[in-house]
Amino acid sequence: MSLQPDSTPDTDTGTFNNQEHPKTNNLFKESFLRILKSKTSVIGLCIIIILLLTALLAPLIATHSPTDQSIVNRYQPPSVDHWLGTDELGRDIFSRIVFGTRISIQIGVIAVGISMIVGVTLGSIAGYFGRWIDMIIMRVIDIMLAFPSVLLAIALVTILGPSLRNAMIAVGIVGVPQFARLVRSSVLSVKETEYIEASKAIGARNLRTLFGHILPNCLAPIIVQMTLGIGTAILDAAGLSFLGLGAQPPTPEWGAMLSDGRAALQNAPWVVAFPGVAIFLFVLGFNLFGDGLRDALDPKLKD
């Protein structure tokens, strides 16, 4: 996708007077219509909307408190009183899944936010300035990529200490290389265009050229990576919680619920099945929407 405006240099201010092409005004409208034409992206968007509404209306949707215990009702199968059954402490699984939606969205947004901020900064600096700066940054990125993401996240959480906050930080750091490499390649491509050369020729500062002209034209792949990265972040955080390194009891986090219920997998499979389905739907929704968004923002796929 190109957001390049028909620009003329302003020699007094060292900036561009943007004269947008008519197609630029309809860019986001066209992308939105392309998303609506894709059945998979619409399904993903519907799942995301349902998840967001569930998180927003959790106190109204939940039938019980997510932390109230009732030992006499432990391992109750799905029923009218407990729609998805109860766990080993008699807590209502449906209510815990509903409130767990808030935590999962929080994990996805914060973890991907960390990955994006750090990754975009490193990738843009490496791609724009090049030479020894590029070499140092990309060698660090290569070292991070040499470790399996799960093992690197486990190592970071072990150093920081097991908690939901530290798990989000670890997952965010693990996702930095994907953003850094993506942005670097985009910056390398955009900075060779004529309007960037013109910006440099009239004396525009490096930071203004980079953040004012180059990065805005790299937004499409960044947005797509953010969408797809949320699903990956949820899986990584759930894995850490499953190992006891993420959310701590009694936090209703889906990965922790899987870990708590694995001992009763044969006798009470619903304790594990429903949190697993919740994780599956969450990741599926963001992946489907991310795929549709990628297709909509890719100019090569336009009809």
Side-chain angles (χ1 to χ4, degrees):
M1 181 187 71
S2 176
L3 298 178
Q4 298 177 10
D6 295 335
S7 306
T8 57
D10 186 341
T11 55
D12 295 331
T13 62
T15 59
F16 285 87
N17 293 323
N18 294 333
Q19 299 175 355
E20 294 187 351
H21 194 276
K23 288 186 177 180
T24 305
N25 296 327
N26 297 325
L27 178 62
F28 293 102
K29 180 179 178 180
E30 292 177 0
S31 299
F32 181 73
L33 292 176
R34 286 173 61 84
I35 292 176
L36 294 182
K37 291 180 181 179
S38 172
K39 294 181 179 179
T40 57
S41 61
V42 171
I43 293 174
L45 181 60
C46 291
I47 293 175
I48 293 174
I49 292 175
I50 292 174
L51 290 171
L52 291 175
L53 291 176
T54 300
L56 182 64
L57 304 175
L60 300 178
I61 297 175
T63 57
H64 298 77
S65 169
T67 57
D68 284 351
Q69 302 179 12
S70 177
I71 301 300
V72 295
N73 291 323
R74 62 196 305 264
Y75 292 134
Q76 292 292 319
S79 62
V80 176
D81 293 332
H82 300 283
W83 295 351
L84 302 183
T86 61
D87 61 12
E88 72 281 359
L89 297 177
R91 296 172 297 192
D92 185 71
I93 294 177
F94 174 76
S95 300
R96 289 178 63 77
I97 290 178
V98 168
F99 277 92
T101 307
R102 290 183 168 184
I103 298 175
S104 295
I105 293 176
Q106 179 185 2
I107 291 172
V109 172
I110 294 178
V112 173
I114 294 173
S115 300
M116 183 195 68
I117 293 173
V118 179
V120 168
T121 301
L122 293 178
S124 57
I125 292 174
Y128 183 77
F129 292 101
R131 298 187 178 182
W132 62 271
I133 297 178
D134 181 27
M135 183 186 67
I136 293 176
I137 292 177
M138 296 316 296
R139 294 300 76 76
V140 173
I141 296 300
D142 289 340
I143 292 174
M144 295 179 65
L145 289 173
F147 294 92
S149 59
V150 175
L151 292 181
L152 181 57
I154 291 174
L156 292 173
V157 175
T158 302
I159 295 173
L160 298 174
S163 69
L164 180 60
R165 182 190 64 182
N166 292 338
M168 290 188 289
I169 294 174
V171 172
I173 294 175
V174 167
V176 167
Q178 285 73 26
F179 279 94
R181 290 169 67 92
L182 176 67
V183 173
R184 175 181 177 272
S185 63
S186 298
V187 171
L188 286 173
S189 176
V190 174
K191 79 172 186 178
E192 301 299 331
T193 55
E194 294 180 356
Y195 73 97
I196 297 300
E197 295 296 331
S199 175
K200 296 178 181 178
I202 63 176
R205 296 181 178 180
N206 288 329
L207 290 180
R208 181 172 183 82
T209 300
L210 178 58
F211 293 101
H213 300 299
I214 295 180
L215 281 183
N217 288 280
C218 302
L219 286 179
I222 294 175
I223 293 173
V224 173
Q225 181 60 36
M226 286 177 58
T227 307
L228 296 174
I230 290 178
T232 303
I234 294 300
L235 284 177
D236 291 343
L240 292 175
S241 297
F242 182 83
L243 296 174
L245 299 175
Q248 302 299 307
T251 305
E253 199 275 332
W254 295 339
M257 293 174 65
L258 286 175
S259 178
D260 294 339
R262 59 183 173 177
L265 180 59
Q266 294 183 347
N267 298 326
W270 57 86
V271 178
V272 176
F274 293 119
V277 171
I279 295 174
F280 168 77
L281 291 176
F282 195 105
V283 176
L284 177 65
F286 277 96
N287 283 348
L288 289 178
F289 181 68
D291 287 340
L293 191 62
R294 179 187 56 196
D295 295 342
L297 297 179
D298 190 346
K300 297 179 182 178
L301 299 177
K302 288 187 177 180
D303 299 330

